[in-house]
Amino acid sequence: MGANISGLVDHEKLTSNMSPLETGLGDLPESCIALVLTHLDPIQISKISRVSRTFHQASLTDLVWEPKLPQNYQILLKNYKNLLSNASDEHLTKKDIFVRLCRPNYFGSSNYKAFWMEKNRGMCVCISWKEMKITGIEDRRYWTHVTSDESRFNTFAFLKQIWWVEGEGNLEFEFPAGNYSVFFRLQLGKTSTRLGRRICTVDQVQGWNIKPVQFQLSTSNGQKASAQYYLNEPGKWINYYVGDFVVDSMQTKLKFSMTQIDCTHTKGGLCLDSVLIIPTHIGPKKSMLTF
């Protein structure tokens, strides 16, 4: 792409020395340029907008950016007022709307549920453990709340020791139609920083290799999925894949949970950060995604 842009710039320099009767790249109508730009991704549009003033103006038009928006963007603007900073924002250009959807947007007064658009890859949602119902979460004998920049919400829950683990949450959101995957973001071992280096302490990790953790999800229209894993990879954050669901209509109600309720042994040393929902085509089924 860079070579193509360089060629366009060089061509424009050459055409600047043409006689008044000759035409060059700069003489292309803005509407034609905009039509070409609709076939490019946002990064390519940003690069090619530097070719000339005409290309820059074309790159700002609604024609270019509307195809990049989710089909339900008007519903999102209506239901999530934090997308609009003030009354004048009601006249945002399509590019402005695109930029705002690509940044984290929170659900109402909650700072622990956020959605954003991964450019051309689809709509994502992240839900903090603080929005979940977790057994014993307020009892400091079992759990501690750790401030950390490793979490999207700057805090994760650390399980010291407990006989059974139950955590569940729910979400109601206007997803664009498509296929989505659900992940729990977990880590064995407690991380900290010492002398500028990341340290992970695993001395409290126990019980996760005896019986698997059960993950489940269900939707209001009857879709269900489940998975189970032995947790045996300490020291790194892993997104454990729960399953997929399909969105046909915009409004989706979703429930998700993780449990390990075998009381024959204690469990401990687990960090619980969040639940991640992303378009299925973005990532593998079990990964260290960095959303």
Side-chain angles (χ1 to χ4, degrees):
M1 186 66 199
N4 293 337
I5 294 172
S6 177
L8 290 171
V9 174
D10 292 341
H11 182 70
E12 188 175 55
K13 289 179 180 178
L14 291 173
T15 56
S16 64
N17 296 321
M18 292 179 176
S19 68
L21 297 179
E22 295 179 287
T23 59
L25 190 61
D27 297 308
L28 284 173
E30 184 179 305
S31 59
C32 291
I33 297 172
L35 189 59
V36 173
L37 296 184
T38 61
H39 298 282
L40 304 181
D41 65 39
I43 295 177
Q44 292 171 327
I45 294 170
S46 177
K47 290 180 178 179
I48 205 170
S49 67
R50 305 169 193 167
V51 169
S52 70
R53 182 176 298 177
T54 305
F55 272 73
H56 176 71
Q57 289 300 120
S59 71
L60 301 177
T61 61
D62 287 350
L63 175 66
V64 173
W65 291 99
E66 187 155 17
K68 317 297 182 190
L69 295 172
Q71 69 265 34
N72 67 332
Y73 75 91
Q74 293 178 329
I75 295 176
L76 295 175
L77 289 174
K78 178 182 178 182
N79 293 348
Y80 299 95
K81 300 301 182 183
N82 57 344
L83 284 167
L84 305 175
S85 301
N86 50 60
S88 63
D89 284 348
E90 295 179 3
H91 305 290
L92 289 172
T93 66
K94 296 300 187 292
K95 181 180 180 180
D96 291 333
I97 296 173
F98 178 88
V99 170
R100 297 197 182 195
L101 285 174
C102 287
R103 71 188 185 190
N105 296 281
Y106 296 97
F107 286 64
S109 59
S110 174
N111 290 325
Y112 297 105
K113 286 195 296 186
F115 68 91
W116 70 96
M117 187 169 63
E118 280 290 313
K119 296 185 173 62
N120 276 359
R121 303 187 345 172
M123 192 66 67
C124 305
V125 175
C126 193
I127 304 159
S128 169
W129 62 271
K130 282 182 172 286
E131 290 286 336
M132 298 174 61
K133 182 180 179 182
I134 302 170
T135 302
I137 192 63
E138 297 301 333
D139 193 327
R140 295 306 175 96
R141 293 175 299 174
Y142 307 128
W143 295 89
T144 58
H145 308 171
V146 181
T147 300
S148 173
D149 58 7
E150 293 188 357
S151 169
R152 171 175 290 276
F153 301 100
N154 298 316
T155 178
F156 61 79
F158 177 70
L159 175 63
K160 292 184 287 186
Q161 188 178 47
I162 204 168
W163 284 98
W164 70 90
V165 177
E166 291 180 287
E168 61 181 31
N170 59 77
L171 174 73
E172 186 171 347
F173 184 65
E174 297 81 4
F175 283 102
N179 297 343
Y180 294 85
S181 298
V182 178
F183 299 83
F184 270 79
R185 187 171 189 258
L186 309 173
Q187 177 183 257
L188 289 180
K190 184 178 180 181
T191 53
S192 60
T193 302
R194 185 179 304 166
L195 299 177
R197 297 181 60 187
R198 182 181 188 270
I199 304 296
C200 186
T201 305
V202 298
D203 56 329
Q204 291 179 279
V205 174
Q206 59 176 307
W208 304 107
N209 59 346
I210 300 175
K211 292 292 180 67
V213 178
Q214 183 78 25
F215 299 91
Q216 294 183 316
L217 73 88
S218 62
T219 66
S220 55
N221 62 357
Q223 299 179 69
K224 295 182 179 181
S226 64
Q228 57 182 17
Y229 300 97
Y230 290 94
L231 310 187
N232 53 16
E233 300 181 59
K236 57 185 178 181
W237 289 103
I238 295 177
N239 286 341
Y240 287 91
Y241 169 69
V242 183
D244 298 338
F245 64 96
V246 179
V247 175
D248 295 322
S249 59
M250 300 300 182
Q251 192 73 18
T252 301
K253 294 181 180 179
L254 182 69
K255 292 184 178 180
F256 44 84
S257 66
M258 62 170 286
T259 57
Q260 214 286 24
I261 55 177
D262 185 339
C263 294
T264 61
H265 61 281
T266 59
K267 278 75 68 175
L270 177 71
C271 295
L272 169 57
D273 179 50
S274 57
V275 170
L276 178 66
I277 304 169
I278 60 175
T280 300
H281 65 272
I282 285 184
K285 297 308 183 187
K286 181 185 176 186
S287 67
M288 297 178 64
L289 299 171
T290 55
F291 293 95

